[in-house]
């Protein structure tokens, strides 16, 4: 009995001990909205992997191992990494987890930690049996996902309509420049919506959970990439725009773009993978893979080897024949010269961990990239190929592409919201006429709350919009904040976008990604509910901030990101 009491007391004290042990980490690691964002399911959940049985680890059956592996890639890989070496979360490799032991790990998984580890058990997302399963699983040797090389890519590559069989002129009456490409996340599709008539032109089959849509330099071809690393190339000149080529470039990915420099328009495409950690350059008219380059290497700062540096964002320079490749875990930006694919010349710019997303400033000379876990924004000078500035901002910046506007005092600024706090950071971007403000956070304004994903403005607008779809408060996640650029001190107005959608069921109604039309007088929002719930697109008049239209259609299932063709083609945000 005495031993039982001692064990029970020890188990009861574990959460307190863990809280103390991880208290310092809380200053720098994840919070609830970010954990929710990072732990979104990975396409690797059902990929067959090599399993190395660890004789020191607790026993697991093949069925238990497979179930735990699926849970890991659905819940944990985003923070802790495919190989469990650590990313935004701590390493979970056997030398650490075996020393901790099953009982300790069960409490850690069930109750979470102040450092940002979600309370998977007490939240009800994992049962006690699943908590036990995961505690045993992370003591096993991490399973190795397969590589994905040229042979694998070519086996998935399809040219549906060869270039010589495609239209030689535009075959439809659509105002192509004002088409919106809207991700239908859970159905593996994008909806092409006519921005003039608000009607769906076509629903195109794509990869799962398309992350971004990008345009060729000419504006004819739309490229989308799913989280399963499938790229679809859509010809907007066709009578009904549809796929003309597709390929898978890996097992998990986020980024795609095309060559923009004069003389190389529409010639090349590039995509980066989360797994394997690499990028591939392809032909711009067929997606034929030409060159694969690995990103495994040393991190900034500690200069330690990292086995899975994921490719986050990629953009094409307007000043040189280069792609700007941002590598998350190593914290480096790679300037990739694409003039000779047989002799790839790459310039490496150390920035900060962990690089994520970003966008150009208004001059398109500087790429502003978020180093989210470092709470910094790096300003990459794509003309001179150097780091122009590294700016401290709020907690976990998440700009999407950010927002550019002219501030009455500071001149041109670029803005980002944050996952981890309610602030919106304004950064000066004019080192010529406003040198004293360049590459500094000139102002931090208060938004509605953390959990922000996207912020947006337009050269013809006097407004700045910020969403908060990952905020736990439905009043915030179902609305959007809008600021008057000329009177930021007045604070924001709240637009009840979720309410305006007029949805008849009780879905989540998360409002995400403001996007302007070509004219800059409308702003579109996705109202994102579950797969089995009704969703919608809400269009707001930017001048009056009044509801202008609601787009409803049974095919609009889990709409999330949407991209206006003209604004995306010309990097207008």
């Amino acid at each position: 009995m005495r031993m039982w009491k001692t064990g029970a007391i020890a188990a009861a004290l574990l959460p307190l001990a863990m809280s103390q042990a991880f208290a310092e980490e809380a200053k720098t690691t994840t919070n609830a909205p970010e954990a929710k964002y990072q732990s979104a399911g990975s396409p690797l959940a059902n990929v067959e992997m090599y399993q190395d049985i660890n004789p020191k680890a607790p026993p697991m059956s093949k069925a238990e191992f497979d179930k735990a592996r699926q849970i890991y890639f659905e819940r944990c890989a985003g923070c802790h990494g495919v190989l469990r070496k650590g990313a935004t979360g701590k390493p979970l490799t056997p030398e650490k987890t075996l020393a901790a032991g099953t009982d300790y790990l069960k409490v850690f998984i069930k109750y979470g930690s102040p450092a940002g580890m979600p309370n998977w058990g007490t939240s009800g997302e994992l049962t006690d049996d699943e908590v036990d399963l995961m505690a045993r699983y992370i003591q096993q040797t991490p399973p190795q996902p397969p590589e994905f090389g040229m042979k694998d890519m070519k086996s998935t590559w399809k040219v549906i309509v060869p270039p010589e069989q495609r239209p030689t002129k535009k075959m439809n009456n659509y105002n192509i420049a004002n088409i919106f490409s809207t991700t239908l996340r859970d159905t593996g599709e994008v909806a092409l919506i006519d921005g003039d008539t608000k009607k769906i032109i076509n629903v195109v089959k794509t990869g799962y959970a398309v992350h971004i849509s990008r345009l060729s330099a000419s504006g004819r071809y739309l490229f989308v990439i799913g989280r399963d690393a499938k790229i679809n190339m859509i010809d907007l000149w066709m009578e009904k725009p549809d796929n003309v080529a597709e390929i898978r470039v890996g097992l998990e990915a986020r980024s795609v773009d095309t060559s923009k420099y004069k003389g190389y328009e529409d010639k090349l495409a590039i995509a980066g993978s989360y797994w394997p950690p690499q990028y591939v350059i392809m032909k711009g008219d067929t997606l034929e893979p030409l060159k694969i380059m690995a990103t495994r290497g040393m991190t900034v700062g500690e200069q330690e080897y990292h086995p899975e540096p994921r490719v986050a964002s990629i953009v094409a320079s307007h000043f040189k024949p280069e792609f700007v490749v941002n590598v998350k875990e190593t914290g480096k930006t790679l300037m990739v010269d694409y003039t000779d694919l047989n002799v790839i010349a790459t310039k490496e710019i150390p920035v900060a961990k962990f690089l994520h997303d970003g966008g150009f400033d208004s001059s398109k000379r500087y790429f502003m990239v978020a180093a989210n876990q470092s709470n910094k924004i790096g300003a990459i000078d794509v003309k001179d190929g150097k780091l122009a500035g590294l700016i401290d901002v709020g907690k976990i910046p998440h700009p999407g592409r950010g927002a550019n506007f002219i501030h009455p005092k500071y001149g041109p600024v670029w803005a980002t919201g944050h996952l981890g706090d309610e602030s919106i950071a304004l950064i000066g971007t004019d080192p010529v006429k406003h040198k004293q403000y360049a590459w500094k956070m000139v102002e931090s304004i208060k938004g509605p709350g953390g959990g922000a994903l996207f912020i947006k403005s337009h050269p013809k607008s006097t407004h700045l919009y910020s969403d908060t779809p990952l905020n736990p408060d439905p009043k915030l996640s179902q609305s959007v904040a809008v600021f008057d650029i000329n009177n930021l001190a007045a604070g924001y107005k709240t637009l009840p976008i979720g309410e305006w959608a007029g949805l008849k069921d009780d879905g989540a109604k998360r409002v995400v990604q403001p996007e302007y039309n070509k004219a800059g007088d409308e702003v579109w929002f996705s109202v994102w509910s579950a797969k089995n719930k009704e969703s919608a697109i809400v269009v707001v008049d930017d001048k009056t901030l009044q509801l202008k239209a609601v787009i409803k259609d049974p095919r609009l299932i889990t709409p999330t990101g949407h991209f206006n063709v003209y604004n995306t083609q010309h990097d207008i945000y």
Side-chain angles (χ1 to χ4, degrees):
M1 179 68 73
R2 185 174 302 163
M3 290 180 63
W4 179 88
K5 287 182 178 179
T6 302
I9 292 171
L13 289 175
L14 267 174
L16 177 60
M18 290 172 61
S19 294
Q20 294 170 342
F22 288 98
E24 283 301 307
E25 295 176 20
K27 299 175 182 177
T28 57
T29 51
T30 59
N31 63 1
E34 196 217 4
K36 184 177 180 182
Y37 174 70
Q38 293 283 1
S39 63
S42 163
L44 288 168
N46 295 307
V47 173
E48 190 63 35
M49 299 184 188
Y50 175 73
Q51 177 184 349
D52 179 17
I53 303 299
N54 188 340
K56 297 180 180 180
M60 295 188 79
S61 68
K62 176 72 163 58
E64 286 181 320
F65 187 92
D66 288 343
K67 180 179 179 181
R69 180 173 64 83
Q70 184 174 11
I71 292 173
Y72 180 83
F73 282 102
E74 289 177 347
R75 308 277 191 179
C76 317
C79 281
H80 297 286
V82 169
L83 301 179
R84 305 210 305 262
K85 293 284 188 178
T88 50
K90 296 296 180 182
L92 295 176
T93 45
E95 67 270 17
K96 297 181 180 293
T97 54
L98 282 168
T102 302
D103 287 340
Y104 180 95
L105 294 169
K106 284 167 65 174
V107 175
F108 184 55
I109 295 167
K110 182 170 182 175
Y111 292 96
S113 84
M117 171 71 176
N119 55 325
W120 294 111
T122 55
S123 68
E125 296 188 65
L126 294 180
T127 66
D128 284 346
D129 286 343
E130 289 171 332
V131 167
D132 175 75
L133 186 70
M134 296 310 295
R136 289 183 286 132
Y137 173 77
I138 60 175
Q139 295 176 73
Q140 311 290 330
T141 301
Q144 178 74 38
E147 298 296 319
F148 204 89
M150 186 63 74
K151 182 179 178 181
D152 301 297
M153 291 184 196
K154 286 195 171 181
S155 71
T156 70
W157 172 48
K158 297 178 183 177
V159 180
I160 301 162
V161 183
E164 63 272 14
Q165 296 178 19
R166 296 174 196 165
T168 56
K169 62 180 181 179
K170 190 165 79 80
M171 301 299 291
N172 59 61
N173 294 321
Y174 300 116
N175 178 9
I176 286 178
N178 202 33
I179 288 176
F180 286 77
S181 173
T182 298
T183 297
L184 305 181
R185 185 185 185 279
D186 293 335
T187 62
E189 297 169 322
V190 294
L192 302 180
I193 305 177
D194 186 331
D196 294 346
T197 66
K198 314 295 188 292
K199 302 293 184 183
I200 294 177
I201 296 169
N202 196 14
V203 174
V204 181
K205 295 300 296 183
T206 62
Y208 168 73
V210 162
H211 191 67
I212 57 172
S213 298
R214 290 292 183 261
L215 271 297
S216 65
S218 67
R220 172 177 180 173
Y221 292 110
L222 175 72
F223 296 80
V224 302
I225 187 165
R227 292 186 59 188
D228 57 0
K230 183 178 181 181
I231 302 172
N232 289 81
M233 180 180 178
I234 299 168
D235 187 354
L236 299 177
W237 278 14
M238 296 171 67
E239 186 174 353
K240 178 181 282 188
D242 209 336
N243 287 317
V244 292
E246 64 179 42
I247 191 173
R248 281 194 74 185
V249 295
L251 299 174
E252 185 169 3
R254 298 292 189 279
S255 52
V256 67
D257 209 339
T258 66
S259 51
K260 302 289 198 301
Y261 189 67
K262 185 177 181 180
Y264 291 90
E265 298 95 333
D266 293 25
K267 299 293 185 183
L268 297 171
I270 183 173
S273 299
Y274 267 28
W275 187 269
Q278 62 192 29
Y279 61 87
V280 58
I281 298 175
M282 301 158 282
K283 284 187 176 180
D285 59 350
T286 65
L287 297 180
E288 178 184 357
L290 301 173
K291 187 76 171 183
I292 303 172
M293 299 290 287
T295 55
R296 293 178 171 101
M298 314 307 287
T299 62
V300 296
E302 302 92 340
Q303 298 190 49
E304 295 178 346
Y305 177 76
H306 201 290
E308 55 166 311
R310 297 174 285 184
V311 178
S313 52
I314 298 178
V315 294
S317 171
H318 298 270
F319 287 84
K320 292 180 181 179
E322 290 181 335
F323 292 121
V324 184
V325 179
N326 298 281
V327 187
K328 187 182 290 281
E329 277 73 22
T330 57
K332 296 175 180 179
T333 294
L334 309 179
M335 310 298 289
V336 180
D337 186 323
Y338 52 70
T339 55
D340 185 350
L341 298 188
N342 290 317
V343 186
I344 293 279
T346 301
K347 185 173 185 177
E348 184 179 280
I349 302 173
V351 186
K353 298 187 296 187
F354 291 80
L355 297 185
H356 189 60
D357 209 349
F360 283 109
D361 79 308
S362 56
S363 74
K364 301 179 179 60
R365 174 172 173 173
Y366 301 96
F367 183 69
M368 312 293 289
V369 61
N372 53 22
Q373 284 300 312
S374 299
N375 301 329
K376 298 178 185 294
I377 297 292
I380 311 299
D381 184 342
V382 301
K383 182 179 180 180
D384 290 346
K386 64 181 183 180
L387 182 66
L390 189 60
I391 306 102
D392 291 315
V393 290
K395 188 170 184 181
I396 316 169
H398 193 285
R401 290 167 290 173
N404 289 299
F405 60 92
I406 305 298
H407 190 281
K409 177 179 179 181
Y410 306 115
V413 297
W414 179 90
T416 180
H418 299 83
L419 272 166
D421 65 33
E422 62 189 8
S423 71
I424 294 172
L426 309 185
I427 296 170
T429 61
D430 180 8
V432 178
K433 295 182 180 179
H434 298 81
K435 186 176 180 179
Q436 69 273 37
Y437 302 126
W439 321 130
K440 297 175 182 177
M441 184 174 72
V442 294
E443 193 170 339
S444 177
I445 60 177
K446 183 179 179 181
L453 290 183
F454 299 100
I455 190 167
K456 193 61 61 74
S457 190
H458 189 278
K460 296 181 180 179
S461 174
T462 59
H463 291 129
L464 175 70
Y465 295 84
S466 177
D467 65 17
T468 49
L470 296 186
N471 195 287
D473 185 348
K475 290 182 180 178
L476 298 184
S477 65
Q478 296 180 10
S479 63
V480 69
V482 56
F483 296 82
D484 180 349
I485 289 169
N486 296 315
N487 188 16
L488 293 170
Y492 59 87
K493 295 180 180 178
T494 299
L495 304 185
I497 304 296
E499 178 184 326
W500 285 352
L503 302 179
K504 57 180 176 289
D505 57 37
D506 58 350
K509 303 175 187 175
R510 287 169 290 198
V511 175
V512 63
Q513 193 159 347
E515 179 78 351
Y516 281 83
N517 64 343
K518 178 180 181 290
D521 58 11
E522 293 178 355
V523 188
W524 292 39
F525 302 89
S526 288
V527 182
W528 169 27
S529 287
K531 187 174 181 179
N532 61 344
K533 301 288 186 179
E534 188 182 27
S535 293
I537 304 291
V538 169
V539 181
V540 171
D541 186 312
D542 181 61
K543 302 298 182 187
T544 65
L545 301 181
Q546 298 297 309
L547 176 64
K548 188 169 184 178
V550 178
I551 305 171
K552 294 182 182 178
D553 190 291
R555 295 171 291 177
L556 286 179
I557 298 171
T558 58
T560 51
H562 40 250
F563 301 84
N564 175 267
V565 164
Y566 184 86
N567 293 335
T568 304
Q569 176 189 358
H570 296 281
D571 292 304
I572 295 173
Y573 31 78

